[in-house]
Amino acid sequence: MPVGASSDADTEPRIIEIETARVLEREQSHYGVIDIGSNSIRLVVYDDLGRAPFPRFNEKSMVALGAGMDGQGRFSEDTIARALHAIRRLAAIAAAMDVKRVDVLATEATRRAANGQALIDAIREMTGLQPRVLTGEEEAKFTAFGVISGFFQPKGMIGDIGGGSLEVAEVVGDRLGERLTSMPLGVLPVTEKLKEGYGVAKAWIDGILTESLPPMLTEPVFYAIGGGWRALARVHIAMNGMPVSVVLGFDLPAEELRGLARDIARMTPDQVAGLPDVPSRRIETLPAAALVMSRVLRKLVPERVIFSAYGLREGWLYNQLDPEERYRDPLLEGAQAIGLPTARVPAFSAALGRWTDDLFPGETLSDRRLRLTVCALTDIAWREHVKVRATDSFLRLLQFPFIGLSHPERAFLAVAILSRYGGKIDGMIRDTTSGLLSAAELRRADILGRTLLLAHRFSASVPEILEHGRLRLDSDAVRLEILDAESVPDSDAVQSRLRKLAKAVGLAGAEIVEAG
């Protein structure tokens, strides 16, 4: 979706405001989730149990519980020992980091194993933690919540491929749809089936999808989750030299992805190892993940695929929040958490938000959240050397782990902050953003950035001084209207910033006038 594009969900009520006091007064409490999957056991420690959590620590052990069962469907003693060793380390790390709360979630392999409860009991006795074994329906539900948490009002079908299973569910804005299912199409069983032949594995997958996969009745968008599918995204990004390497929010035509998936599904491990940026731990199972992706896309026929790094763990976290917290915007929340505490004058971001409210007539909710996000990040580089602030900020924001935004929106933020620090939209910037922003979107980002540059210079980043000025974009000129010229006289530096803004807008005139 283009930058600032509106959707039907834009009409729903939503908190899109910079709330300085709430952000600065919030007391963080570290929160951890241990995810006992069929392929790996992972601990993620988040800085807070909030709407835009940043991971402080992330580690996984490839225990492969799903592959460690005997002929009777029981975990072997060695498998249980390896799992307990991994969990003992992760629990010790969480305790050393003073994590106040750690939730332990077990999924497909543990609920399927005949002695899965023995593993749960051993974890409880060893660590004092109380693992929760999720049903297949719960896995699908919390995974869908993860997508709702990580995106701005997503609409479509989500799929999460794990070691043992594939969960599919429907999301509609901030709500979970009625259709969700769990299928035994994880990378481990599909890898085993591929040993019987490509055709056998394909027919087996198609049979399960025909029986269990709900039709796509919402937006023609498929949200792809899980390490195997993220590896596909990484390979595609690297093969095409794309400027943003962040997987979350990467989207591409479904047919384009399906073509890549079909090719990888037939590759040998040696051929997979030769792909660019392929994770070494995914080499053996990537053909299985690719085959499932190819068959799911054939069945659902979406127009686009969007990749998510948010899934089960983040969906579980999201489910712990109160309704008001859930309804906050994930991008703006993350920007405030990063931008406000380190700003010279934290309250200035909210003042900028008010000062630019009328800058773009007809602003949609999507437009507003981007503009306020730029305002929240306006002072992120004030400690940097003046010669590198603009370019360094641009490059940093292209890859920064924000959530709730697409790759074009990342480019918009990066260009706006580049312009806020006086950077030029030169050949490098144009080349980097050419596939992400239209000429109109690039100009809009430049206008916003130049407006903030003017505001900082005019007011010295003091909200009370900013209130003495009002910006007007007239048909013949850009005018800074001074409400009290004696208390806040202008300067040649202010006039210079005003001329730069006028140039970005495309007007010849730039005037500082007194309010009449």
Side-chain angles (χ1 to χ4, degrees):
M1 182 179 289
V3 171
S6 183
S7 67
D8 292 339
D10 273 4
T11 59
E12 297 179 12
R14 176 175 284 276
I15 301 172
I16 305 288
E17 298 292 344
I18 295 176
E19 300 173 294
T20 310
R22 177 182 62 82
V23 172
L24 296 184
E25 293 170 5
R26 185 185 184 105
E27 293 186 9
Q28 290 187 338
S29 180
H30 301 343
Y31 170 71
V33 178
I34 295 177
D35 177 4
I36 305 174
S38 299
N39 205 22
S40 64
I41 297 177
R42 182 190 296 266
L43 165 68
V44 181
V45 176
Y46 300 95
D47 61 351
D48 195 19
L49 181 59
R51 185 63 183 87
F54 285 92
R56 296 178 64 89
F57 179 81
N58 187 331
E59 180 174 298
K60 68 179 177 182
S61 293
M62 303 299 286
V63 176
L65 282 174
M69 295 185 190
D70 59 23
Q72 286 74 47
R74 298 173 61 85
F75 291 138
S76 67
E77 291 185 7
D78 178 64
T79 299
I80 289 180
R82 285 186 288 113
L84 292 177
H85 178 80
I87 292 170
R88 183 182 297 112
R89 168 177 165 77
L90 299 179
I93 288 172
M97 293 180 69
D98 195 27
V99 180
K100 301 302 183 185
R101 173 180 169 185
V102 179
D103 290 338
V104 183
L105 309 177
T107 55
E108 195 273 343
T110 305
R111 68 172 175 263
R112 176 165 56 92
N115 60 342
Q117 187 59 46
L119 174 61
I120 297 300
D121 293 342
I123 294 171
R124 184 190 308 112
E125 182 178 348
M126 179 181 68
T127 65
L129 299 172
Q130 178 59 60
R132 172 169 172 169
V133 181
L134 301 179
T135 66
E137 183 174 300
E138 287 176 326
E139 269 198 75
K141 180 181 77 172
F142 291 126
T143 297
F145 280 155
V147 172
I148 291 171
S149 171
F151 289 86
F152 179 65
Q153 299 181 328
K155 296 176 72 176
M157 299 293 290
I158 68 100
D160 181 10
I161 190 166
S165 61
L166 168 67
E167 278 67 49
V168 176
E170 179 184 34
V171 290
V172 185
D174 295 299
R175 300 182 302 278
L176 180 65
E178 296 180 357
R179 295 168 300 145
L180 61 155
T181 186
S182 179
M183 295 165 278
L185 293 177
V187 295
L188 296 179
V190 176
T191 297
E192 286 300 308
K193 188 61 68 171
L194 275 169
K195 294 177 181 178
E196 302 176 32
Y198 179 87
V200 172
K202 184 173 71 171
W204 176 68
I205 292 169
D206 286 348
I208 294 174
L209 294 177
T210 298
E211 180 180 346
S212 304
L213 188 63
M216 178 171 281
L217 300 178
T218 52
E219 294 292 318
V221 176
F222 182 70
Y223 293 87
I225 310 159
W229 284 351
R230 288 196 298 275
L232 287 177
R234 287 177 56 173
V235 169
H236 188 280
I237 289 170
M239 288 177 67
N240 292 277
M242 294 183 169
V244 180
S245 59
V246 179
V247 169
L248 190 146
F250 173 54
D251 104 52
L252 73 166
E255 273 305 304
E256 187 175 339
L257 176 62
R258 188 169 179 236
L260 175 65
R262 283 198 302 260
D263 291 342
I264 293 178
R266 293 180 178 273
M267 287 184 178
T268 65
D270 286 344
Q271 290 172 321
V272 172
L275 293 170
D277 201 30
V278 65
S280 59
R281 289 181 170 182
R282 300 289 174 187
I283 290 173
E284 296 294 330
T285 58
L286 189 57
L291 180 56
V292 176
M293 174 63 80
S294 171
R295 306 318 291 172
V296 167
L297 295 183
R298 177 181 178 275
K299 178 70 175 175
L300 290 178
V301 199
E303 293 178 5
R304 305 197 66 79
V305 177
I306 300 177
F307 287 89
S308 174
Y310 267 38
L312 174 68
R313 290 179 299 275
E314 293 77 18
W316 172 265
L317 185 156
Y318 176 81
N319 194 56
Q320 313 307 310
L321 304 178
D322 62 53
E324 180 178 331
E325 186 78 6
R326 290 188 199 179
Y327 219 51
R328 298 188 185 279
D329 180 72
L331 173 60
L332 185 54
E333 286 297 290
Q336 290 181 93
I338 294 299
L340 300 189
T342 58
R344 289 169 293 178
V345 183
F348 193 61
S349 287
L352 283 176
R354 296 188 295 271
W355 207 67
T356 57
D357 267 339
D358 299 324
L359 185 61
F360 301 114
E363 184 179 61
T364 66
L365 193 63
S366 297
D367 295 329
R368 177 177 175 80
R369 66 192 289 267
L370 283 177
R371 176 173 59 82
L372 292 184
T373 294
V374 174
C375 291
L377 297 172
T378 187
D379 227 13
I380 60 169
W382 72 270
R383 287 187 174 91
E384 302 288 335
H385 191 281
V386 65
K387 290 187 176 181
V388 301
R389 288 174 185 168
T391 303
D392 282 6
S393 296
F394 173 81
L395 296 174
R396 180 186 180 197
L397 288 173
L398 275 184
Q399 315 296 342
F400 197 85
F402 285 125
I403 61 174
L405 77 170
S406 65
H407 282 198
E409 288 169 335
R410 284 183 178 277
F412 183 92
L413 298 182
V415 172
I417 293 297
L418 171 97
S419 295
R420 173 264 177 274
Y421 281 112
K424 295 181 180 180
I425 300 180
D426 57 16
M428 186 275 284
I429 303 300
R430 292 186 184 278
D431 290 345
T432 302
T433 61
S434 62
L436 298 171
L437 297 176
S438 68
E441 291 164 344
L442 191 64
R443 178 170 174 265
R444 185 186 183 96
D446 190 30
I447 291 171
L448 177 56
R450 298 294 177 187
T451 300
L452 301 191
L453 179 63
L454 169 65
H456 276 279
R457 175 54 60 189
F458 165 69
S459 67
S461 306
V462 178
E464 293 76 15
I465 297 180
L466 188 63
E467 294 171 359
H468 286 277
R470 189 165 53 212
L471 188 65
R472 287 176 17 206
L473 273 60
D474 297 329
S475 59
D476 61 333
V478 174
R479 291 182 171 88
L480 177 60
E481 191 175 61
I482 307 298
L483 306 183
D484 187 352
E486 292 188 4
S487 63
V488 190
D490 65 5
S491 70
D492 57 347
V494 174
Q495 292 171 343
S496 172
R497 294 337 186 254
L498 188 63
R499 287 193 295 271
K500 290 180 179 179
L501 173 58
K503 183 178 179 180
V505 174
L507 295 173
E511 298 179 356
I512 298 177
V513 299
E514 293 185 27

